[in-house]
């Protein structure tokens, strides 16, 4: 991992950070297996049904279960353990799926966390209708995550097991990839400015071509639809229940610098060195440079592409930036995901336990 430094925060190389956390923390409780259930978000009658995948610690035996291109090794409907360290929500990228982060979700569950992986209705592989209304897109993605948190906390089976901080509130963290990286940073307080995204693509489309191809005309479309004026932040609601965030290859260029500077929760940023979907210099590195109030780290993963943070699908899934299954030559995605899973456990153990 390459480490980047800035006087505003501390950055550690990945291996060094893992070692330091391991020394600083007592051994994490680890259940034998990861349980799995699918749940539905309570929504208005005229809205599309929304689902999420729930992973949790269980003593029951896990089996390899085919689930489309992302098989899971889980105990379907296994009995949950009596206590969870906290709740971690996962937000997938655009046109993706809630099942694509099996290694991360299952590792967190085996180490004592309840994990809710969100299906972003209107921005899945089956339905991208939400992208037609940019202002709604940027506001609705974090809102959908908050609805999943509401649903879990309203269910006594799960809410009674979630660990609490010294303030008596549930310990909740979030992980997001790509547009999900935007989503979890928005939950932490980041605010997008659509005219910023438009100006970026007018100036840098040749250097950030995949994103700019997807977002062509997004700023003007918002204005025509009665959205916010140029330079104004979108009215996106943060969720103060989220206490720590991991943003993986985040879409970051649209955020206003003051909103990033105002984020106070711990943030771990990751980016693939060879990401051509969301070029790090315009996104993850730019976010890092504008974070001032939070404990922030950035890991630039050598030789990694945009999809290094997802499990490798069993079929060749197309995307705006090539196959989701493809990696740069020589990159070992499985080994990296195992290491990232350990990092995620250590990150949330440290930053949720301190609260």
């Amino acid at each position: 991992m390459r480490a980047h430094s800035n006087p505003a925060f501390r950055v550690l190389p990945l291996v060094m950070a893992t070692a330091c956390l391991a020394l600083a923390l007592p051994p994490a409780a680890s259940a034998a297996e990861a349980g799995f259930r699918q749940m539905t978000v309570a929504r208005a009658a005229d809205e599309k049904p929304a689902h999420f995948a729930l992973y949790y610690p269980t003593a029951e035996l896990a089996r390899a279960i085919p689930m489309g291109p992302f098989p899971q090794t889980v105990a379907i409907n296994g009995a949950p353990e009596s206590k969870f360290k906290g709740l971690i929500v996962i937000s997938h990228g655009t046109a993706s799926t809630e099942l694509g982060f099996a290694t991360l979700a299952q590792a967190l569950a085996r180490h004592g966390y309840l994990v809710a992986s969100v299906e972003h209705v209107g921005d899945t592989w089956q339905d991208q209708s939400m992208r037609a209304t940019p202002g709604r897109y940027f506001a609705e993605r974090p809102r959908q995550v908050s609805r999943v948190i509401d649903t879990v906390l309203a269910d006594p089976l799960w809410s009674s097991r979630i660990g609490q901080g010294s303030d008596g509130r549930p310990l909740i963290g979030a992980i997001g990839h790509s547009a999900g990286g935007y989503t979890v940073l928005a939950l932490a307080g980041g605010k997008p400015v659509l005219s910023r995204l438009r100006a970026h693509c007018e100036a840098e489309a040749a250097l950030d071509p995949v994103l700019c191809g997807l977002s062509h005309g997004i700023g003007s479309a918002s204005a025509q639809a009665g959205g916010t004026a140029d330079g104004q932040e979108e009215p996106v609601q943060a969720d103060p229940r989220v206490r720590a965030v991991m943003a993986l290859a985040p879409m970051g260029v649209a955020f206003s610098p003051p909103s990033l500077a105002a984020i106070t929760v711990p943030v771990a940023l990751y980016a693939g060195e060879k990401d051509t979907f969301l070029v790090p210099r315009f996104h993850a590195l730019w976010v890092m440079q504008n974070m001032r109030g939070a404990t922030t780290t950035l890991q630039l993963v050598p030789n990694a592409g945009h999809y290094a943070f997802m499990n490798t699908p069993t079929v060749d899934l197309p995307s705006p930036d090539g196959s989701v299954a493809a990696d740069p030559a020589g990159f070992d995605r499985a080994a990296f995901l195992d290491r990232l899973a350990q990092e995620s456990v250590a990150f949330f153990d440290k930053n949720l336990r301190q609260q």
Side-chain angles (χ1 to χ4, degrees), residues 20 38 56 58 62 85 89 103 114 121 163 178 197 239 256 265 267 296-297 301 315:
C20 290
Q38 290 182 306
Y56 52 90
T58 181
K85 292 179 182 177
V89 286
T103 296
L114 176 64
V121 174
S178 193
L197 178 56
D239 194 326
S256 75
V265 302
V267 176
T296 307
T297 59
V301 186
V315 297

Side-chain angles (χ1 to χ4, degrees), residues 281-306:
R281 62 178 283 203
F282 299 121
H283 298 283
L285 274 70
W286 188 86
V287 168
M288 180 196 74
Q289 291 162 3
N290 286 278
M291 299 285 279
R292 294 292 182 268
T295 301
T296 307
T297 59
L298 169 68
Q299 309 298 338
L300 189 60
V301 186
N303 200 34
H306 185 69

Side-chain angles (χ1 to χ4, degrees), residues 248-268:
L248 314 175
M251 193 286 287
V253 73
F255 284 115
S256 75
S259 72
L260 292 175
I263 291 174
T264 58
V265 302
V267 176

Side-chain angles (χ1 to χ4, degrees), residues 89-280:
V89 286
I90 297 179
S91 173
H92 66 70
T94 191
S96 190
T97 171
E98 74 276 17
L99 298 177
F101 300 91
T103 296
L104 289 177
Q106 291 163 195
L108 284 161
R110 288 195 302 270
H111 284 81
Y113 287 97
L114 176 64
V115 180
S117 192
V118 180
E119 176 194 43
H120 283 286
V121 174
D123 196 24
T124 68
W125 66 275
Q126 296 171 303
D127 172 18
Q128 293 95 54
S129 58
M130 194 163 60
R131 294 212 307 246
T133 312
R136 179 171 177 268
Y137 180 88
F138 282 97
E140 182 65 10
R141 266 186 148 271
R143 189 179 297 126
Q144 288 180 353
V145 177
S146 291
R147 288 191 189 117
V148 167
I149 295 173
D150 293 341
T151 302
V152 173
L153 296 184
D155 189 329
L157 174 65
W158 307 108
S159 61
S160 63
R161 291 169 159 81
I162 299 171
Q164 296 182 345
S166 58
D167 56 7
R169 297 187 298 116
L171 295 173
I172 301 175
I175 301 174
H177 172 244
S178 193
Y182 155 78
T183 301
V184 298
L185 288 169
L187 290 168
K191 306 287 185 186
V193 176
L194 297 189
S195 59
R196 232 194 96 73
L197 178 56
R198 184 188 64 209
H200 165 71
C201 287
E202 288 173 351
E204 305 289 2
L207 297 177
D208 202 9
V210 181
L211 171 74
C212 291
L214 285 176
S215 60
H216 178 68
I218 207 167
S220 57
S222 177
Q224 292 168 8
T228 55
D230 280 3
Q232 291 190 356
E233 295 176 347
E234 293 295 304
V236 174
Q237 293 299 311
D239 194 326
R241 296 173 296 185
V242 174
R243 304 178 186 234
V245 162
M246 290 181 68
L248 314 175
M251 193 286 287
V253 73
F255 284 115
S256 75
S259 72
L260 292 175
I263 291 174
T264 58
V265 302
V267 176
L269 298 167
Y270 291 78
E273 181 184 46
K274 294 186 177 178
D275 189 337
T276 54
F277 195 140
L278 293 168
V279 177

